[in-house]
Amino acid sequence: MIGRYKNNKTTSQRSRMVSAKSHRHVVALLMSSCLLFLIADPVCSFHSTNIHGGALHNRSSSLPVLSSSKESDDDNSSTDTLSVGFLGCGTIASAIARGFAKASEEGKLPLPKMVVSTRSESKSTSLVSELSPSIDISVQSDNQAILDTCDLIFLTVLPQQASEVLKGLKFDPKKHVLVSLVSTANLEDLARDSKLDLSRVAKMICLPSIARHKGVALLCCGDDSTSNKSDETVSSSTGSFLKDLFDNMGGVVCLETEDDLQAAMVTTCTMGPLYGTMMNQRDWLLKQTRSLSKEDASFLVIQQFAGALSEAERDGTENRLEDLIEEQTPGGLNEQALKNYGTVLGSFADLQEPVMDAILSRIRGESDGSVSSKGENNTSE
């Protein structure tokens, strides 16, 4: 097994196995590593003008009072009184719950209680069985009972169920913060249906990798139109609280408008093309080599991309992607591959921008998300 070696061969034996392969096979492997510049293309990077002071911006250190035990006169409560409830228990809710449990186990986040609904009974039962040894987690069939028990509420039901679920519940305006992962529900609708102040409502987008504290969450909080707060402190209490919370689970990017959140969501919708690129590289390797198994070729490509990504995140400067491309050896194989892609495709922008524009137009309900052969979006009638 090239790369992992499940047998007991020594390092020298493994080296001989690899070096004994034909020059043509080694060249094929080398070519695969030269195509990794694709993930460093600056056209794909998203820059929001509403993110200040880097990707993670905290405008206020104050946290909302989240305690079901008693009202507090102190505006700065800590998360040691935090209890978390999930309305719905699908893939994303389960991932967030696992992320909370991991943070608690690592001592990053004291979390006394977590309650999940039985809307997806098989998943909720399995989740409780998995996490109960390390955290106080239970299943509750009554959504109102979840609200009565918990402070921070995650809405993870299907889009067509969101409004009905919220309207049937009684939220405490001084206790609850509502975080919706329903992509189609806007902040004003969430506030209206829950009868919470807009400042205590937020939208969040994340991937299942949050369970392992990988990737990044996207967050947009409502403002407080009923208060006399200045624009600089609008929703800062809820936003800062949630930012601090998810900084312990891989990180969070805070967006100030729902339009910006929708644009940022596009980056979470391009995993398919990335996986497709990796799969095509693997299949190309299988055609070009005799010694690589499908398992080994998959391992090789995945680890090559993982290594390139780790290099990209090593330095958090805003021009890191441009710098990585500039670092390609003049006249080298990676630079040649980059030029060849440009020759075949015209430019990365010609390929990627129409695709990303189409995804955004679907998110905003402006089209069905498909693209014509000319790269034009098919708008909704």
Side-chain angles (χ1 to χ4, degrees):
M1 301 283 292
I2 297 175
R4 285 163 293 178
Y5 294 100
K6 295 180 180 178
N7 54 30
N8 294 320
K9 294 183 182 296
T10 65
T11 301
S12 60
Q13 288 174 314
R14 296 169 190 168
S15 299
R16 286 197 297 271
M17 288 177 63
V18 175
S19 62
K21 305 304 177 186
S22 71
H23 176 71
R24 182 172 66 86
H25 297 161
V26 175
V27 169
L29 300 181
L30 184 61
M31 284 299 298
S32 175
S33 68
C34 293
L35 300 178
L36 296 180
F37 72 90
L38 176 64
I39 62 176
D41 176 36
V43 175
C44 279
S45 61
F46 174 80
H47 301 282
S48 170
T49 57
N50 290 315
I51 303 176
H52 307 288
L56 305 180
H57 173 54
N58 187 351
R59 287 181 295 180
S60 172
S61 60
S62 61
L63 305 180
V65 178
L66 294 177
S67 175
S68 57
S69 58
K70 62 180 180 178
E71 292 189 9
S72 171
D73 294 328
D74 185 1
D75 286 338
N76 296 323
S77 65
S78 64
T79 55
D80 60 0
T81 60
L82 178 66
S83 54
V84 179
F86 292 89
L87 305 179
C89 189
T91 300
I92 293 299
S94 299
I96 295 172
R98 291 186 177 98
F100 275 125
K102 178 177 172 62
S104 180
E105 290 174 359
E106 295 175 352
K108 299 177 181 177
L109 180 66
L111 190 65
K113 183 183 290 293
M114 188 154 53
V115 185
V116 298
S117 73
T118 55
R119 185 170 293 271
S120 300
E121 188 169 0
S122 60
K123 290 185 177 181
S124 58
T125 302
S126 174
L127 185 67
V128 169
S129 176
E130 174 190 339
L131 300 182
S132 57
S134 58
I135 195 170
D136 181 1
I137 181 172
S138 60
V139 178
Q140 175 58 255
S141 59
D142 184 353
N143 284 337
Q144 185 60 53
I146 295 178
L147 264 65
D148 294 342
T149 304
C150 301
D151 311 304
L152 178 61
I153 306 298
F154 287 90
L155 181 68
T156 62
V157 299
L158 297 174
Q160 61 269 28
Q161 300 170 334
S163 181
E164 180 183 356
V165 168
L166 292 178
K167 288 179 179 178
L169 298 172
K170 185 177 181 180
F171 286 81
D172 185 333
K174 295 183 179 180
K175 167 187 170 182
H176 289 125
V177 166
L178 174 65
V179 179
S180 171
L181 286 100
V182 181
S183 59
T184 56
N186 62 49
L187 290 168
E188 290 186 355
D189 289 342
L190 294 167
R192 181 198 64 219
D193 292 341
S194 66
K195 295 182 174 59
L196 287 172
D197 191 275
L198 197 57
S199 65
R200 301 184 76 85
V201 175
K203 287 186 64 173
M204 175 177 155
I205 302 295
C206 68
L207 298 176
S209 57
I210 195 173
R212 304 185 304 278
H213 296 181
K214 300 293 184 181
V216 64
L218 305 175
L219 183 70
C220 181
C221 298
D223 63 12
D224 188 351
S225 58
T226 64
S227 76
N228 294 320
K229 293 180 180 179
S230 68
D231 290 341
E232 290 300 315
T233 59
V234 159
S235 192
S236 61
S237 181
T238 297
S240 296
F241 165 73
L242 293 174
K243 176 194 174 300
D244 290 344
L245 199 63
F246 288 104
D247 271 351
N248 291 306
M249 296 166 62
V252 59
V253 170
C254 302
L255 290 306
E256 292 186 357
T257 69
E258 290 187 78
D259 281 347
D260 283 356
L261 178 66
Q262 290 171 341
M265 281 174 60
V266 174
T267 63
T268 72
C269 304
T270 53
M271 292 186 299
L274 174 61
Y275 295 150
T277 297
M278 296 168 70
M279 184 179 70
N280 288 337
Q281 288 198 16
R282 179 204 66 192
D283 293 345
W284 181 88
L285 284 172
L286 293 177
K287 293 177 183 178
Q288 296 294 325
T289 64
R290 292 193 303 268
S291 57
L292 277 179
S293 68
K294 185 175 182 179
E295 182 180 7
D296 288 330
S298 297
F299 175 78
L300 186 156
V301 172
I302 291 170
Q303 291 305 310
Q304 292 277 31
F305 273 79
L309 286 170
S310 67
E311 185 67 14
E313 70 177 358
R314 181 173 57 84
D315 182 351
T317 61
E318 62 180 14
N319 294 319
R320 181 57 177 163
L321 299 180
E322 289 87 346
D323 292 343
L324 284 170
I325 290 178
E326 289 297 322
E327 288 174 7
Q328 307 303 313
T329 302
L333 294 174
N334 272 283
E335 184 187 61
Q336 183 68 62
L338 183 60
K339 289 181 179 178
N340 288 344
Y341 262 93
T343 300
V344 173
L345 301 175
S347 72
F348 275 108
D350 292 339
L351 172 67
Q352 293 174 336
E353 286 188 5
V355 173
M356 299 178 80
D357 288 344
I359 294 172
L360 180 58
S361 69
R362 178 180 172 183
I363 290 173
R364 291 177 173 170
E366 299 167 351
S367 77
D368 62 5
S370 61
V371 179
S372 70
S373 59
K374 296 180 180 180
E376 298 172 347
N377 293 347
N378 295 324
T379 57
S380 301
E381 296 293 338

